[in-house]
Amino acid sequence: MDDSLVRELADLSALQRLGSLNTEYLPQLAGDLRPAALVAVMDEVVLGARTVLVELGCGSSSVLLARLLQQRGFGHLLSIEHDERTAAFVASQLRREGLGSAARVVHAPLSRHPAALSRHGQWYAPQQVHDEVLGYVERFGLVDLLLVDGPGFGDSRYPALPVLSAVLAPGATVLADDADRPDEQAVLTRWSEEFGLEFRTAPRTSLAVATGLA
C-alpha cells in the first residue's frame, strides 16, 4: 500500500480516537501535528505518566493536549511559539476554555542564538526561554516530555536539546516531528551522537521518539 495512503488511513483512525477531546471546532494551523502524530504524543503522555511537558511550536493540537491533561486531572504543558498570531490564538483558546491550569503559551520571537548550528542561525529568544523554563521547572519539577515541532524546519531545531537537556528528568521522552525530512534527520543524528539518544519512528507518523539521555 502506498505510504501516503497508509498515513491518511492512520490519520482517520487517530481522529476517531481523538473524538472525546473534540468538544468544539478548532482551526487547522500551519504548525499542527498530524492526527496520528498527536495520538502518539498523547499515548506517551498517558502510558508514560508524563506530567511536566514542554512543547516547542504550538497550534490547535496544543489545545487538544491541554484538554487531555485537564480531563486526566493532572499534568501541565508549557508551549513556546515564535509566531505571534499563532501564540495569541492558542493562548486565547486556552483562556476561553478554562484550560489555564493545564497549559500556558509563551510568545518568544526568534533571535540569534549561540547554540544554533549556522552562523546566522536563530532560535527562540535565549533569555526569555531561560527565564520561562526555569520558572516552570521551579514550579512543576523537571521536564519529563519534550516535544520539538518548531521553530521552522531544518537545523533551526537543533538548539532544543543543547538548551533544555539540563532540565530534562531522568528517563524523559523526547519527541521530534517532521523526522522524515533530510535536515531534521541530520539534527536527530547529531542529538543521538551528542546526547546518547536512540530515536525510533512512531508507526505511520513522521514523529521520532527517544527516551532517556545518556
Side-chain angles (χ1 to χ4, degrees), residues 14 180 203:
D180 53 348

Side-chain angles (χ1 to χ4, degrees), residues 86-179:
T86 299
F89 164 74
V90 175
S92 174
Q93 189 69 21
L94 293 174
R95 287 193 302 270
R96 201 175 66 77
E97 294 190 28
L99 296 171
S101 62
R104 179 167 174 262
V105 177
V106 173
H107 172 232
L110 300 183
S111 65
R112 290 281 298 275
H113 198 286
L117 291 177
S118 61
R119 179 182 176 187
H120 301 292
Q122 294 186 319
W123 201 64
Y124 304 105
Q127 190 61 49
Q128 184 178 5
V129 170
H130 174 273
D131 294 345
E132 292 288 350
V133 172
L134 184 61
Y136 181 62
V137 169
E138 287 177 347
R139 182 178 179 187
F140 295 103
L142 292 174
V143 175
D144 56 17
L145 186 145
L146 172 63
L147 172 59
V148 183
D149 192 25
F153 55 89
D155 63 13
S156 63
R157 299 184 179 183
Y158 169 76
L161 279 185
V163 172
L164 298 175
S165 61
V167 297
L168 294 182
T173 294
V174 178
L175 305 103
D177 196 26
D178 307 308

Side-chain angles (χ1 to χ4, degrees), residues 17-92:
R17 292 184 59 191
L18 292 169
S20 65
L21 299 174
N22 286 321
T23 53
E24 62 177 84
Y25 174 80
L26 290 171
Q28 181 74 30
L29 301 179
D32 279 343
L33 291 168
R34 287 181 40 237
L38 177 58
V39 163
V41 173
M42 290 182 170
D43 284 350
E44 177 59 30
V45 171
V46 174
L47 295 175
R50 304 304 178 183
T51 60
V52 187
L53 288 58
V54 169
E55 173 189 46
L56 304 178
C58 74
S60 293
S61 53
S62 308
V63 180
L64 289 167
L65 272 171
R67 290 175 184 171
L68 173 69
L69 294 174
Q70 186 175 73
Q71 187 180 88
R72 188 178 60 162
F74 60 94
H76 195 275
L77 169 70
L78 174 65
S79 185
I80 298 172
E81 172 59 47
H82 75 276
D83 182 77
E84 186 174 8
R85 182 180 181 186
T86 299
F89 164 74
V90 175
S92 174

